[in-house]
Amino acid sequence: MERLDKLLVSQGVGSRREVQKLIRRKAVTVNGETVTKPDLKLDPDNSRIEVSGRPISYKKNIYLMLNKPAGFVSATEDNLSRTVLELVPEEYRRRGLAPAGRLDKDTEGLLILTDDGDFAHKLISPKSKVYKRYYAELDAEITEEDIESFKSGIVLENGEKCLPARLEKCENSSAFVEICEGKFHQVKKMFLSRGKKVLYLRRDAIGTLRLDVNLPKGMARELTKTEKDAIFVVK
Ligand code: URA
C-alpha cells in the first residue's frame, strides 16, 4: 500500500506540493471516486487513478533508451555543459532518472536512463558480465597484436589491468570493441596503450540490446519488457 500523494509524485504528476493541491481541488479520482485526502493508502497495481480525467498508468520504474549525441555529459546536473537529462521529456525527468553508466561527452549512442538503482548497478557491474559494444574509428589500422592484446587483458598506461575484451577489425581503421567494465575513458585508454587514438566512438549495444536504428539522435523512448531483459542475456 502506498500514500496517494507520494504515488502521484513518483509517477511524475508533479511535486509533492503540486500534487496535494490537485487532490484538494478534487482533481484526483481513485476507482471513480473523488479523493480529498493526500495520505489515502492504496494498492497502485489494483487501483484506477485519474488526474483531471486523465488515467495514470502506474509504473514502478522507468527504463529509457537514449540515442546520445555528442556534446552532452552523462550526468543529472552540470555547471558547464548540457546534460543527457535535458534530452529527456519533462514527465520522465520529474521521476529522478539517472544514466546507468556513463558515455563521455564526445561519445554517441546507446545510453540507458532509469530510476531503478539496483538495475543500474547490475548493468554496470563487471560481475554481471554485460558486454557493451562500441564502434570506434581510429587513427591507424588494427593489427593482429592489438586483437590478441585486448583478448588477454590490456594494461593501461597507469598500470591498471583491464578484463579480457573482444576486438573486431573493420574497414578504414575502424573496429568493434566489447568490454564488460566501465573504467573512466576505458576504450580510448585501451587503444592509447596500443599507440592508437580514438577519433570517433559510439555505443551500439548493451548485452544483446541494440540501439534502435529508428531512434533519432537526441531522442529517448521507453524500453519494452523484451528489450529490458535483453540487456542481461549473456552472449
Ligand atoms: N570508453 C570510452 O573511452 N568512452 C566512453 O564514452 C565509453 C567507453
Side-chain angles (χ1 to χ4, degrees), residues 102-104 107 134 179 183 185-189 201:
R102 283 159 188 261
L103 291 179
D104 295 338
T107 302
Y134 294 86
I179 55 173
K183 298 186 200 299
H185 299 324
Q186 183 161 344
V187 172
K188 291 173 188 163
K189 285 180 179 169
L201 191 61

Side-chain angles (χ1 to χ4, degrees), residues 62-148:
I62 292 288
Y63 306 88
L64 297 183
M65 167 192 288
L66 170 72
N67 186 353
K68 181 192 174 298
F72 291 79
V73 292
S74 300
T76 50
E77 277 173 42
D78 194 275
N79 288 335
L80 299 174
S81 306
R82 290 178 296 174
T83 73
V84 289
L85 257 292
E86 292 172 40
L87 298 165
V88 166
E90 176 67 26
E91 78 254 31
Y92 294 122
R93 233 183 294 164
R94 287 207 217 107
R95 296 193 47 142
L97 295 180
R102 283 159 188 261
L103 291 179
D104 295 338
K105 188 172 174 181
D106 59 351
T107 302
E108 298 187 344
L110 177 58
L111 187 69
I112 304 296
L113 294 119
T114 183
D115 55 358
D116 182 344
D118 293 339
F119 178 92
H121 178 76
K122 195 171 156 203
L123 185 155
I124 297 163
S125 170
K127 285 193 197 125
S128 307
K129 290 263 176 290
V130 172
Y131 276 84
K132 286 93 187 172
R133 183 175 171 89
Y134 294 86
Y135 166 75
E137 290 175 4
L138 303 142
D139 66 347
E141 288 295 331
I142 302 293
T143 63
E144 274 311 310
E145 292 81 62
D146 293 332
I147 295 172
E148 278 312 309

